[in-house]
C-alpha cells in the first residue's frame, strides 16, 4: 500500500483518521467519570472505619482485659475397669445343673433373729437447773402447814400467801351468845403459840346463816357476825398478840359454804375463820 492511500486525502483516510479505532478519546473521558466518584466513596468509607476503630478500639481492648480468664479445670475421667473375663469353657463342655437343690432352712422362733452387739449406752448431758421458775399459782410453802397444830374442830387450809383456820361457831359460842364459851376459850388458847410465832396479819372473820335476827343488841346478822369476830380478837389481844396485826371483820351471810335451805348447810355457814397472811403479801 502506498503512502498516498493512507494519506488524509486517500481512500482509507476515513477509516484511519475519521472513524478509526484509535479515535475514541472523547468517549473514554465521558464513560470513565463514574470511576472518580466510586473512588471517593471508597475513600470516605475507609476513613469512617479508621475513625470508628480509633474511637472504640481502646474500649474493646480494656474490656477484654477485664474479663476474668477462665481456668480450664482438669477433667478427671474415672478409670473404667474392664469386665472380668469369663472363664473359658472347655470345648464340648456344656452347663450341667445340680442334680438336687439344697432345701432352704425353716424359720423358727428361736434363733431366727440374732441381734447385733449391744450398743453402748448414750451419754446423757447433765442439765443445768433453771435459775428461776414461774409458778402457775403463788401458793405458800407447804412445810409451815405441817407445823400448825392439828386441833379437833379446826380445819386448816393453805391459801395464797398464808393459811385459813376455820372453826364452827358451836365450838366457840353458846346458842345466841357472842361471848366465848369455856370450851371455845380453851380452843383459842391452844392456837395462841402458833399465832404468836406467825409474823403476818391475822384477820378474824365472822359468818352467820341466812336466818334473820332482830334484837335490841343485834338488829341484823351484820352486828352478830362482827361481834363474834371481835370477841375472838379480844382474847388474842389479851394473850399478848400485837393489835396492829389483828383484824375483826363481819360478813353476815354473804359468804356461805353450803345451802341455807337445810339445817346442815346453815350449821356449816355459822363459823369463824382466822385468815393468816404473810407480811409482804398483797392486801386481799
Amino acid at each position: 500500500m502506498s503512502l498516498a492511500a493512507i494519506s488524509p486525502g486517500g481512500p482509507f483516510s476515513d477509516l484511519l483518521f475519521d472513524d478509526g479505532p484509535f479515535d475514541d478519546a472523547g468517549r473514554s473521558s465521558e464513560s470513565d467519570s463514574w470511576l472518580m466518584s466510586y473512588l471517593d466513596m471508597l475513600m470516605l468509607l475507609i476513613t469512617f472505619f479508621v475513625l470508628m476503630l480509633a474511637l472504640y478500639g481502646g474500649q474493646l481492648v480494656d474490656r477484654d482485659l477485664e474479663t476474668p480468664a477462665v481456668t480450664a479445670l482438669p477433667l478427671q475421667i474415672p478409670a473404667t475397669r474392664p469386665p472380668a473375663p469369663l472363664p473359658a469353657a472347655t470345648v464340648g463342655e456344656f452347663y450341667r445343673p445340680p442334680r438336687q437343690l439344697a432345701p432352704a432352712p425353716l424359720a423358727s422362733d428361736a434363733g431366727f433373729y440374732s441381734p447385733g452387739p449391744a450398743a453402748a449406752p448414750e451419754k446423757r448431758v447433765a442439765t443445768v437447773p433453771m435459775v428461776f421458775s414461774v409458778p402457775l399459782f403463788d401458793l405458800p410453802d407447804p412445810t409451815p402447814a405441817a407445823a400448825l397444830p392439828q386441833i379437833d374442830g379446826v380445819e386448816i387450809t393453805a391459801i395464797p400467801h398464808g393459811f385459813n383456820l376455820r372453826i364452827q361457831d358451836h365450838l366457840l359460842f353458846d346458842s345466841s351468845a357472842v361471848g366465848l364459851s369455856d370450851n371455845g376459850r380453851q380452843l383459842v388458847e391452844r392456837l395462841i403459840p402458833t399465832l404468836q410465832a406467825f409474823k403476818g396479819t391475822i384477820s378474824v372473820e365472822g359468818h352467820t346463816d341466812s336466818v334473820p335476827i332482830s334484837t335490841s343488841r343485834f338488829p341484823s346478822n351484820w352486828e352478830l357476825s362482827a361481834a363474834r369476830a371481835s370477841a375472838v380478837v379480844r382474847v388474842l389481844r389479851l394473850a399478848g398478840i400485837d393489835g396492829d396485826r389483828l383484824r375483826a371483820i363481819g360478813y353476815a351471810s354473804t359468804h356461805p359454804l353450803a345451802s341455807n335451805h337445810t339445817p346442815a348447810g346453815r350449821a356449816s355457814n355459822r363459823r369463824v375463820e382466822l385468815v393468816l397472811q404473810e407480811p409482804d403479801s398483797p392486801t386481799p
Side-chain angles (χ1 to χ4, degrees):
M1 185 179 293
S2 63
L3 295 174
I6 60 175
S7 62
F12 296 100
S13 60
D14 295 336
L15 295 173
L16 295 175
F17 299 103
D18 293 340
D19 295 329
F22 300 102
D23 191 10
D24 55 353
R27 287 177 300 182
S28 62
S29 61
E30 293 178 359
S31 61
D32 295 339
S33 61
W34 63 270
L35 185 60
M36 298 301 295
S37 300
Y38 179 73
L39 292 176
D40 293 340
M41 185 182 65
L42 289 179
M43 184 63 65
L44 291 175
L45 288 176
I46 293 173
T47 306
F48 174 75
F49 286 122
V50 170
L51 180 61
M52 295 295 292
L53 182 60
L55 291 177
Y56 295 99
Q59 297 181 3
L60 295 175
V61 173
D62 296 341
R63 188 176 301 174
D64 293 339
L65 292 178
E66 294 177 357
T67 304
V70 178
T71 304
L73 296 177
L75 182 61
Q76 297 180 359
I77 302 176
T80 57
R81 180 179 298 177
L86 298 176
T90 307
V91 178
E93 183 179 355
F94 298 93
Y95 172 73
R96 296 179 181 179
R99 296 182 180 180
Q100 185 178 1
L101 298 177
L106 299 177
S108 60
D109 295 340
F112 180 73
Y113 171 72
S114 57
E122 298 181 357
K123 296 182 180 180
R124 297 185 177 180
V125 180
T127 57
V128 180
M130 296 180 64
V131 177
F132 61 93
S133 60
V134 180
L136 296 178
F137 301 98
D138 191 5
L139 297 177
D141 190 2
T143 304
L148 294 176
Q150 302 297 325
I151 301 175
D152 295 338
V154 180
E155 181 181 353
I156 303 174
T157 57
I159 60 174
H161 305 287
F163 303 94
N164 187 358
L165 283 66
R166 182 176 302 158
I167 309 173
Q168 297 299 322
D169 71 331
H170 69 273
L171 299 176
L172 299 176
F173 309 98
D174 293 334
S175 179
S176 302
V178 294
L180 288 174
S181 62
D182 295 338
N183 294 332
R185 187 178 295 274
Q186 294 177 3
L187 190 149
V188 174
E189 290 177 353
R190 294 178 59 184
L191 296 174
I192 287 176
T194 302
L195 299 178
Q196 287 178 341
F198 188 76
K199 301 303 180 183
T201 59
I202 303 173
S203 299
V204 182
E205 301 174 354
H207 301 267
T208 64
D209 55 21
S210 61
V211 178
I213 184 175
S214 178
T215 62
S216 57
R217 185 176 180 182
F218 306 111
S220 65
N221 286 328
W222 290 101
E223 288 80 9
L224 178 61
S225 61
R228 288 185 170 179
S230 300
V232 176
V233 169
R234 188 178 305 108
V235 175
L236 298 179
R237 182 66 185 90
L238 294 175
I241 298 178
D242 189 2
D244 296 338
R245 299 167 50 205
L246 299 176
R247 308 285 188 274
I249 305 173
Y251 285 106
S253 59
T254 58
H255 291 68
L257 296 177
S259 175
N260 284 302
H261 298 290
T262 60
R266 290 192 294 271
S268 299
N269 293 332
R270 296 189 298 267
R271 67 195 187 278
V272 173
E273 295 183 358
L274 280 70
V275 180
L276 283 63
Q277 292 287 337
E278 298 290 342
D280 299 333
S281 62
T283 304

